[in-house]
Structures are given as structure tokens and as C-alpha cells.
Amino acid sequence: FFPRRSSIILAAPGPENKMFAEFKQAWKGIDKGLPVQKLTVNNPWLLQVRSQVVKDLVALLSSNDSTMFPRGDYRECADNTLIILGETPPRGIHFMKLGAIHQARWMASNLYATKMFIFSKPLMYNDVMVEKLMRMNKCVWHCSTLLLG
């Protein structure tokens, strides 16, 4: 008896990101009302386009068009981007419960990395970890500025 290949693939667990799993465990104990970590931006080009990006994101998030965001995690990503830029999203600052971590969902990795950076102080991450999270979030923000403008 040889099992079908599809049943083997479906039954095989995927690799789990240990940092994301630890963060998911810590999520329940984090005080979401604490001041959040924000990106420091020194790049002249990013500083120049920041205000336009904020305006664009606020306009997108304020839209009543239900097709603007195909899934809720896209809206959450836009909200989190405004928060790390030091702004308040139109619906206010609130954080969604962490979802599944799946290797095929790049958005989940983005959301986890953003929230890990936002709450890096209460989680007492070391300076190296905070710097890595800051770089990742700057990269995501930089890419979003290219998409918006």
C-alpha cells in the first residue's frame, strides 16, 4: 500500500517560525494600551514621501468601498503601517487577534513582524532584534510607498 502523494503533503506539518510562535503565546499578556514603538526615518526620500503616503493610506482606509480591501488583513496592514508611522488610523488604534502562521501567506508574516516591532518594548526585545524588526518594517513601508505612488 502506497499512500497518495496529496495525502502525504496535506498531512505533513510545515516549518513553524519559532519567533512568531513565541510572540503568539505572549500576545494575550501584552497591554495593548501602552505607547507603541514607531519607525525612525532618516532617509531623505522616505521623509519626503511620508506625508503623501499617510494621506493615501488615510483615504484608502476612509473609503466606504467594500472592494477596496479584498481581505481584512490588508486593512490591518494599512492600519499598522499608519501606527508605526506615528499616525492614528481613521477607525482608531486597535489590534486584531493574531491569526494563523502559514508559510504561503506573506501577509501573515508582515502582520506578525509589524506587531512584534510595535510591542518590542513591553516584550523586552534586545537592541539587535528591534533593529532587525525596524529594518523589515522599513522595507515593507518602502515597498508600499512604491505601490501607492
Side-chain angles (χ1 to χ4, degrees):
F1 168 75
F2 294 101
R4 290 187 328 215
R5 229 186 296 171
S6 61
S7 63
I8 294 171
I9 293 171
L10 294 175
E16 186 175 82
N17 184 316
K18 185 179 176 188
M19 289 187 312
F20 289 174
E22 289 172 359
F23 180 64
K24 190 171 186 175
Q25 287 290 86
W27 180 253
K28 295 173 190 165
I30 297 173
D31 180 358
K32 300 350 174 253
L34 291 173
V36 298
Q37 181 86 344
K38 297 174 188 133
L39 285 179
T40 54
V41 180
N42 297 320
N43 179 293
W45 180 80
L46 288 175
L47 285 170
Q48 183 181 5
V49 299
R50 181 192 177 281
S51 62
Q52 186 60 47
V53 168
V54 168
K55 285 180 196 174
D56 291 344
L57 284 173
V58 168
L60 286 170
L61 290 165
S62 299
S63 172
N64 291 327
D65 182 0
S66 62
T67 64
M68 188 64 64
F69 295 100
R71 293 194 319 259
D73 53 356
Y74 284 76
R75 175 178 282 281
E76 184 181 3
C77 180
D79 282 341
N80 289 345
T81 300
L82 282 177
I83 292 167
I84 64 173
L85 291 175
E87 303 294 329
T88 301
R91 298 184 310 166
I93 295 178
H94 62 281
F95 297 98
M96 306 291 287
K97 179 181 172 186
L98 295 170
I101 310 164
H102 191 277
Q103 59 188 356
R105 299 297 290 268
W106 62 270
M107 184 61 78
S109 296
N110 177 22
L111 294 172
Y112 269 77
T114 303
K115 289 178 182 177
M116 288 170 73
F117 175 73
I118 287 171
F119 295 107
S120 59
K121 285 185 181 177
L123 291 168
M124 296 184 287
Y125 289 146
N126 64 35
D127 291 343
V128 173
M129 178 69 157
V130 173
E131 180 64 27
K132 287 178 181 180
L133 289 167
M134 182 180 292
R135 286 181 183 179
M136 169 147 185
N137 282 286
K138 282 183 180 179
C139 178
V140 170
W141 178 59
H142 178 85
C143 291
S144 69
T145 61
L146 296 174
L147 291 172
L148 288 172

